[in-house]
Amino acid sequence: MQKNNKIKEQISSALGESKYDYRKVIIALKEIQDFRKAYLLLNSKKRSYSLEDHTIMVCQMFEKYFSTNYTFKEFGIESFRLLLCLHDIGKPYSLKNNEKEKQWQYTVELIQKYRDMLPFSKRDYPIAIALISDDPLGLYIRGKIGLEDAIARIRDMASTTKLPIQTFMNLLTIYYQVDSGAYTHEGYIGDEEAFTEKPKLEAVFQKDENG
């Protein structure tokens, strides 16, 4: 119990620093063995970088485009930042078991397993779980589900929180943009020659003169 509290305090301290550094949060989360293993594993069978690299890219996208104007009191920025550090934590295990379609389930179960070590408030925890429990925006944009199905899934996700549907949708949209943006040329931080474009995904984003 003492060790659990110490890890929770380390994560909370990293999240609360005036000059936020997501890498410090990831380092603190690595004190949990299952998380440390997950960060080292590949994020995708099609790409050669680790879950930790993908997580860093996602966090960078949020800090660059949304952190300075994040105003959601219903789900504080520290909780959103923690969510981003954990958003795919179960995905590598789903890939190892050839159950990629269940990646969200793996992630939710792993976060639930270590709930007591994570500094989510009682209010914010169900919101975090709801946001990562499905991918209706991504599935819809990639043409894998229809509009009505996407709307129904979003309503189901929001129903597990106490948030107005519009607030939940705004949070979900930010989450989708930074997660999917990490797979674009804009979000990529690795070797340029190793970058593989996702044409359907790239097409979703508005580009400036530099692409």
Side-chain angles (χ1 to χ4, degrees):
M1 183 64 70
Q2 189 174 4
K3 181 182 179 181
N4 290 4
N5 289 337
K6 183 178 179 181
I7 292 173
K8 187 174 183 177
E9 288 172 5
Q10 289 175 335
I11 298 168
S12 184
S13 176
L15 286 165
E17 288 191 359
S18 56
K19 191 173 181 180
Y20 175 67
D21 184 350
Y22 41 82
R23 288 180 177 85
K24 290 184 178 180
V25 178
I26 293 171
I27 288 171
L29 288 167
K30 284 182 180 179
E31 292 296 314
I32 300 172
Q33 187 175 11
D34 283 339
F35 291 177
R36 181 168 66 252
K37 288 181 179 178
Y39 282 126
L40 291 172
L41 294 170
L42 289 178
N43 178 65
S44 166
K45 290 186 176 181
K46 297 179 181 178
R47 288 165 176 77
S48 59
Y49 52 80
S50 67
L51 171 64
E52 182 171 353
D53 287 338
H54 169 67
T55 303
I56 288 171
M57 288 185 258
V58 171
C59 292
Q60 282 191 169
M61 293 294 283
F62 177 75
E63 296 306 316
K64 182 175 181 178
Y65 290 107
F66 295 102
S67 63
T68 56
N69 57 3
Y70 187 92
T71 58
F72 295 94
K73 295 179 181 179
E74 303 92 340
F75 188 64
I77 193 168
E78 289 185 9
S79 288
F80 202 100
R81 283 168 164 162
L82 179 56
L83 162 69
L84 295 181
C85 290
L86 291 168
H87 78 283
D88 266 346
I89 201 68
K91 183 179 179 181
Y93 295 117
S94 73
L95 294 175
K96 283 186 71 175
N97 293 334
N98 294 312
E99 292 186 317
K100 184 179 183 295
E101 71 283 355
K102 294 183 180 179
Q103 60 181 289
W104 304 292
Q105 181 179 328
Y106 275 75
T107 292
V108 168
E109 289 177 354
L110 203 51
I111 291 174
Q112 288 175 335
K113 180 179 179 180
Y114 296 104
R115 165 73 179 97
D116 292 341
M117 297 188 193
L118 303 173
F120 284 117
S121 68
K122 191 173 181 179
R123 178 200 66 181
D124 288 355
Y125 179 72
I127 299 172
I129 293 297
L131 288 169
I132 60 173
S133 65
D134 200 351
D135 183 28
L137 295 181
L139 293 170
Y140 171 68
I141 285 171
R142 298 199 306 276
K144 295 191 175 184
I145 62 174
L147 180 60
E148 294 303 317
D149 190 4
I151 291 171
R153 287 179 182 228
I154 292 168
R155 290 192 182 280
D156 283 345
M157 294 162 74
S159 71
T160 63
T161 75
K162 295 182 179 179
L163 296 178
I165 187 66
Q166 188 58 58
T167 301
F168 183 81
M169 183 65 185
N170 289 339
L171 290 168
L172 184 64
T173 303
I174 293 173
Y175 170 51
Y176 174 73
Q177 288 180 86
V178 297
D179 187 19
S180 60
Y183 291 101
T184 67
H185 196 274
E186 165 69 11
Y188 185 66
I189 62 172
D191 183 356
E192 186 72 23
E193 294 182 359
F195 176 73
T196 305
E197 186 179 83
K198 288 186 172 183
K200 286 185 179 180
L201 191 55
E202 293 281 351
V204 172
F205 294 89
Q206 183 176 351
K207 308 296 178 68
D208 63 16
E209 63 276 8
N210 297 316

